[in-house]
Amino acid sequence: MKKVLALVLALALTLCCAASLAEGYGLGIQTGIGSSKAATAEKDGNAQVDSTVCALVVDDEGKIVSCLFDVAQTKIAFNAAGEITADMDAEIRSKREKGLDYGMLKASPIGKEWDEQAAFLAAYCVGKTLDEVVAGVAEADGYPTNADVLAGCTMHTTDFLKALEKAYAMATAK
C-alpha cells in the first residue's frame, strides 16, 4: 500500500511540474536595513536585515496562479565597541517558519498572526494581474486601505508589493 501511495504521489508531482512548465515562475526579493539601530554606551545596537520574498506563478494571461510571501529577518546585536553580542550559532527562522512564535497576534487588530496575514495577502493576489493587485491593495503610509485586504491583512505591505513586482517581472519576461 505504501508503494502504491508513493507512486501515486510521485506521478501527481510529475504531472503538476510538467503542467506548470508552460507557466511563468518568478522570485522577487526586497531587502532593507531601515530597522537597524546604533549602539550606545547604555544599549547594544542592532544590525537588522529584512528580506521580503515573493515566489509566484503567472499564467499566459498575466494572472497570478500561485503566490507565497515570507520574510527573513536577520538581527545581529552588537555593543558600543563593535563586538557582536548575538548568539552566532542561533538558528535564524523566517517569519513563516516562526508561525505563532513570531508574536504579532497580540498586536493585531484583526487577531491574526504574521503568517496568517501573509497567506491572506498571497491568496488575495491569486487570479489577479500585478496592476490589479497594486490597485487593490492601495496603501496609505505603507498600510493597505482597501476593506477587502484589511479583512485579513493589516500589516505594512510596501515591501510585499515591491517583492511581488520583482517576481512578476521575472515571471513575465519574454
Short mmCIF file of all heavy atoms in Angstrom, two decimals, residues 108-113 116-121 124 136-137 144-155:
data_model
loop_
_atom_site.label_atom_id
_atom_site.label_comp_id
_atom_site.label_asym_id
_atom_site.label_seq_id
_atom_site.Cartn_x
_atom_site.Cartn_y
_atom_site.Cartn_z
N SER A 108 -2.18 42.52 16.76
CA SER A 108 -3.00 42.53 15.56
C SER A 108 -4.43 42.98 15.84
O SER A 108 -5.12 42.37 16.66
CB SER A 108 -3.03 41.13 14.93
OG SER A 108 -3.96 41.09 13.87
N PRO A 109 -4.90 44.02 15.15
CA PRO A 109 -6.28 44.46 15.36
C PRO A 109 -7.32 43.46 14.82
O PRO A 109 -8.49 43.56 15.16
CB PRO A 109 -6.35 45.79 14.61
CG PRO A 109 -5.26 45.74 13.61
CD PRO A 109 -4.18 44.87 14.20
N ILE A 110 -6.88 42.51 13.99
CA ILE A 110 -7.81 41.52 13.43
C ILE A 110 -7.58 40.14 14.03
O ILE A 110 -8.18 39.16 13.59
CB ILE A 110 -7.74 41.47 11.89
CG1 ILE A 110 -6.31 41.17 11.41
CG2 ILE A 110 -8.28 42.76 11.28
CD1 ILE A 110 -6.19 40.92 9.92
N GLY A 111 -6.68 40.05 15.02
CA GLY A 111 -6.46 38.77 15.69
C GLY A 111 -5.78 37.72 14.82
O GLY A 111 -6.05 36.54 14.96
N LYS A 112 -4.89 38.16 13.92
CA LYS A 112 -4.19 37.23 13.03
C LYS A 112 -2.68 37.41 13.19
O LYS A 112 -2.17 38.52 13.27
CB LYS A 112 -4.57 37.47 11.58
CG LYS A 112 -6.06 37.31 11.33
CD LYS A 112 -6.31 36.50 10.09
CE LYS A 112 -7.79 36.39 9.82
NZ LYS A 112 -8.36 35.18 10.24
N GLU A 113 -1.99 36.26 13.19
CA GLU A 113 -0.53 36.24 13.29
C GLU A 113 0.06 36.64 11.93
O GLU A 113 -0.63 36.67 10.91
CB GLU A 113 -0.08 34.83 13.72
CG GLU A 113 1.39 34.66 13.97
CD GLU A 113 1.98 35.65 14.95
OE1 GLU A 113 1.75 35.52 16.17
OE2 GLU A 113 2.71 36.56 14.50
N GLU A 116 -0.44 34.22 9.01
CA GLU A 116 -1.83 34.20 8.54
C GLU A 116 -2.11 35.41 7.64
O GLU A 116 -2.79 35.29 6.62
CB GLU A 116 -2.79 34.22 9.73
CG GLU A 116 -2.72 32.98 10.59
CD GLU A 116 -3.56 33.11 11.84
OE1 GLU A 116 -3.29 34.02 12.65
OE2 GLU A 116 -4.48 32.29 12.00
N GLN A 117 -1.59 36.57 8.04
CA GLN A 117 -1.80 37.78 7.24
C GLN A 117 -1.07 37.70 5.91
O GLN A 117 -1.60 38.10 4.86
CB GLN A 117 -1.37 39.02 8.03
CG GLN A 117 -2.27 39.27 9.23
CD GLN A 117 -2.04 40.64 9.83
OE1 GLN A 117 -1.93 41.63 9.12
NE2 GLN A 117 -1.98 40.70 11.16
N ALA A 118 0.15 37.15 5.92
CA ALA A 118 0.91 36.99 4.68
C ALA A 118 0.21 36.00 3.75
O ALA A 118 0.15 36.22 2.53
CB ALA A 118 2.33 36.53 4.99
N ALA A 119 -0.33 34.93 4.30
CA ALA A 119 -1.06 33.95 3.49
C ALA A 119 -2.33 34.58 2.91
O ALA A 119 -2.69 34.32 1.75
CB ALA A 119 -1.41 32.72 4.33
N PHE A 120 -3.00 35.42 3.68
CA PHE A 120 -4.19 36.10 3.19
C PHE A 120 -3.83 37.01 2.02
O PHE A 120 -4.51 37.02 0.98
CB PHE A 120 -4.85 36.93 4.31
CG PHE A 120 -6.10 37.63 3.87
CD1 PHE A 120 -7.34 37.03 4.01
CD2 PHE A 120 -6.05 38.90 3.29
CE1 PHE A 120 -8.51 37.67 3.60
CE2 PHE A 120 -7.20 39.54 2.87
CZ PHE A 120 -8.43 38.93 3.03
N LEU A 121 -2.75 37.78 2.18
CA LEU A 121 -2.33 38.68 1.11
C LEU A 121 -1.96 37.90 -0.15
O LEU A 121 -2.31 38.29 -1.26
CB LEU A 121 -1.15 39.54 1.57
CG LEU A 121 -0.66 40.60 0.58
CD1 LEU A 121 -1.77 41.60 0.24
CD2 LEU A 121 0.56 41.32 1.13
N TYR A 124 -5.04 36.80 -1.82
CA TYR A 124 -5.66 37.96 -2.46
C TYR A 124 -5.09 38.18 -3.86
O TYR A 124 -5.79 38.59 -4.78
CB TYR A 124 -5.47 39.21 -1.59
CG TYR A 124 -6.00 40.47 -2.23
CD1 TYR A 124 -7.35 40.79 -2.17
CD2 TYR A 124 -5.15 41.33 -2.93
CE1 TYR A 124 -7.85 41.94 -2.79
CE2 TYR A 124 -5.63 42.47 -3.54
CZ TYR A 124 -6.98 42.77 -3.46
OH TYR A 124 -7.46 43.90 -4.08
N GLY A 136 -5.60 47.25 -5.99
CA GLY A 136 -6.48 46.73 -4.94
C GLY A 136 -5.94 46.91 -3.54
O GLY A 136 -6.69 47.16 -2.60
N VAL A 137 -4.63 46.78 -3.38
CA VAL A 137 -4.06 46.92 -2.04
C VAL A 137 -4.11 48.38 -1.61
O VAL A 137 -4.40 48.68 -0.46
CB VAL A 137 -2.62 46.35 -1.97
CG1 VAL A 137 -1.96 46.67 -0.64
CG2 VAL A 137 -2.64 44.84 -2.19
N PRO A 144 -2.33 48.87 3.93
CA PRO A 144 -3.46 48.78 2.99
C PRO A 144 -4.65 49.60 3.46
O PRO A 144 -4.86 49.79 4.66
CB PRO A 144 -3.79 47.28 2.98
CG PRO A 144 -3.17 46.71 4.19
CD PRO A 144 -2.03 47.61 4.58
N THR A 145 -5.42 50.09 2.48
CA THR A 145 -6.62 50.86 2.80
C THR A 145 -7.89 50.19 2.28
O THR A 145 -8.99 50.56 2.67
CB THR A 145 -6.53 52.28 2.20
OG1 THR A 145 -6.36 52.18 0.78
CG2 THR A 145 -5.38 53.06 2.81
N ASN A 146 -7.74 49.22 1.40
CA ASN A 146 -8.88 48.51 0.81
C ASN A 146 -9.51 47.60 1.87
O ASN A 146 -8.83 46.79 2.49
CB ASN A 146 -8.38 47.71 -0.39
CG ASN A 146 -9.45 46.89 -1.05
OD1 ASN A 146 -10.32 46.32 -0.42
ND2 ASN A 146 -9.37 46.81 -2.37
N ALA A 147 -10.81 47.70 2.05
CA ALA A 147 -11.51 46.90 3.06
C ALA A 147 -11.37 45.40 2.82
O ALA A 147 -11.26 44.62 3.78
CB ALA A 147 -13.00 47.28 3.10
N ASP A 148 -11.33 44.99 1.54
CA ASP A 148 -11.16 43.56 1.23
C ASP A 148 -9.81 43.05 1.72
O ASP A 148 -9.70 41.93 2.21
CB ASP A 148 -11.28 43.30 -0.27
CG ASP A 148 -12.69 43.51 -0.78
OD1 ASP A 148 -13.64 43.45 0.03
OD2 ASP A 148 -12.85 43.75 -1.99
N VAL A 149 -8.77 43.85 1.60
CA VAL A 149 -7.44 43.47 2.06
C VAL A 149 -7.37 43.57 3.58
O VAL A 149 -6.86 42.66 4.25
CB VAL A 149 -6.35 44.34 1.40
CG1 VAL A 149 -4.97 43.98 1.95
CG2 VAL A 149 -6.38 44.19 -0.11
N LEU A 150 -7.91 44.63 4.13
CA LEU A 150 -7.86 44.85 5.58
C LEU A 150 -8.61 43.77 6.37
O LEU A 150 -8.35 43.58 7.55
CB LEU A 150 -8.44 46.22 5.94
CG LEU A 150 -7.54 47.40 5.58
CD1 LEU A 150 -8.32 48.71 5.73
CD2 LEU A 150 -6.29 47.41 6.42
N ALA A 151 -9.49 43.05 5.71
CA ALA A 151 -10.21 41.96 6.38
C ALA A 151 -9.25 40.86 6.85
O ALA A 151 -9.53 40.16 7.81
CB ALA A 151 -11.27 41.37 5.45
N GLY A 152 -8.10 40.75 6.17
CA GLY A 152 -7.17 39.68 6.54
C GLY A 152 -5.73 40.09 6.64
O GLY A 152 -4.87 39.30 7.03
N CYS A 153 -5.42 41.36 6.30
CA CYS A 153 -4.03 41.82 6.34
C CYS A 153 -3.99 43.30 6.70
O CYS A 153 -4.38 44.14 5.89
CB CYS A 153 -3.34 41.58 5.00
SG CYS A 153 -1.63 42.14 4.96
N THR A 154 -3.50 43.59 7.90
CA THR A 154 -3.42 44.97 8.35
C THR A 154 -1.98 45.44 8.50
O THR A 154 -1.75 46.56 8.93
CB THR A 154 -4.14 45.15 9.71
OG1 THR A 154 -3.52 44.28 10.66
CG2 THR A 154 -5.62 44.84 9.59
N MET A 155 -1.01 44.59 8.16
CA MET A 155 0.39 44.96 8.35
C MET A 155 0.93 45.75 7.16
O MET A 155 0.31 45.81 6.10
CB MET A 155 1.23 43.73 8.62
CG MET A 155 1.24 42.68 7.55
SD MET A 155 2.07 41.21 8.16
CE MET A 155 1.81 40.10 6.80
#
